Amino acid sequence: MSIQSMKEFGRRAMSLAAYGVVLASVLVSCTLPQEDTAVPSAPADETPAKAHTLEITRAPALTIQTPPAVEDGRGFHEAGETDLTERINAARTEAGLPALAVHAGLMGAARLRAMESEKSGCISHTRPDGRAWLTVLETEFPMECLERGEAIAYTAPKQAVHPDADTWYASLTQSPTQEECLLYPDAQSLGVGVYFSCRDGHYTAAAVVLVGTEIPEVRDITGV
């Protein structure tokens, strides 16, 4: 081999050797394990979680019922009398006092006092004819009582509706003396009268409560 041929052979050998190094590095870089950075997907047999939704329900609107208007006329408000009786006994129970029994004689006397008070507009413990209130228990409804008391109230609301028991009780107890009467510890019986008048939407009413102690039962002696 000539010197020229030997030089050419050497240059090719060196080129091949360099190529082999580059190729080897390429192969190594291709076969090195790569870090898996992909996000794993859910298994095929699992159902993806559903998003929770907040359900907002609105409460039904409150219906406020207006009490029915009172028709023209006048008379005793029996429902009001019953409710006020219960309200008074509820107040006594809250105060640790015994409830009062409804007495027929006191009921009649209280109704008469309520009627004459509303008709005359004289809201006082003095009767329209100038006599003291307790004469109603001596003449029209005579009965024996060791102790007796009267509480009276009057109302003329803007609307022609019957006042409820709470309204009546609050009006009756504005006077400390009347509140003491209703909550008298030794009282045993009561009578409640509520009388109203309504004309052309103009409403007025009076409430009278009579309480007493040691009241005998009223007996019917007709025919004796």
Side-chain angles (χ1 to χ4, degrees):
M1 179 181 297
S2 63
I3 294 175
Q4 186 66 28
S5 297
M6 291 180 63
K7 290 182 178 180
E8 183 66 22
F9 177 78
R11 187 176 64 253
R12 290 182 178 180
M14 291 177 64
S15 298
L16 288 174
Y19 176 78
V21 173
V22 174
L23 181 61
S25 62
V26 171
L27 292 176
V28 169
S29 63
C30 290
T31 56
L32 286 177
Q34 300 293 322
E35 183 178 358
D36 190 3
T37 58
V39 178
S41 59
D45 58 345
E46 292 186 6
T47 304
K50 295 182 178 180
H52 294 285
T53 57
L54 179 62
E55 296 182 0
I56 300 177
T57 57
R58 298 184 180 275
L62 295 177
T63 301
I64 301 177
Q65 297 181 350
T66 302
V70 180
E71 297 181 357
D72 285 358
R74 62 196 323 161
F76 296 104
H77 187 210
E78 296 182 4
E81 293 170 344
T82 300
D83 292 344
L84 181 53
T85 298
E86 294 177 352
R87 179 66 181 84
I88 292 171
N89 279 330
R92 290 181 62 87
T93 300
E94 292 175 1
L97 301 172
L100 302 179
V102 176
H103 188 277
L106 289 178
M107 187 76 174
R111 280 189 157 193
L112 177 56
R113 287 285 294 125
M115 181 175 65
E116 66 183 20
S117 297
E118 192 282 326
K119 286 185 175 181
S120 66
C122 178
I123 308 303
S124 169
H125 295 299
T126 300
R127 302 180 70 177
D129 60 5
R131 293 181 296 163
W133 72 268
L134 54 82
T135 58
V136 73
L137 301 178
E138 298 171 349
T139 55
E140 291 92 346
F141 294 88
M143 63 187 70
E144 295 180 0
C145 305
L146 291 180
E147 296 176 292
R148 50 208 169 178
E150 178 186 69
I152 186 171
Y154 179 84
T155 184
K158 295 180 180 180
Q159 295 181 340
V161 296
H162 290 302
D164 58 21
D166 289 333
T167 301
W168 275 127
Y169 187 80
S171 181
L172 287 166
T173 56
Q174 283 183 351
S175 166
T177 304
Q178 292 200 156
E179 183 177 22
E180 182 181 356
C181 174
L182 299 180
L183 300 180
Y184 187 61
D186 295 334
Q188 298 170 337
S189 305
L190 89 165
V192 175
V194 177
Y195 190 85
F196 74 94
S197 174
C198 186
R199 184 173 182 178
D200 297 330
H202 180 66
Y203 177 97
T204 58
V208 173
V209 181
L210 299 180
V211 300
T213 64
E214 299 291 334
I215 302 176
E217 290 296 327
V218 177
R219 294 182 300 168
D220 184 1
I221 59 175
T222 303
V224 177

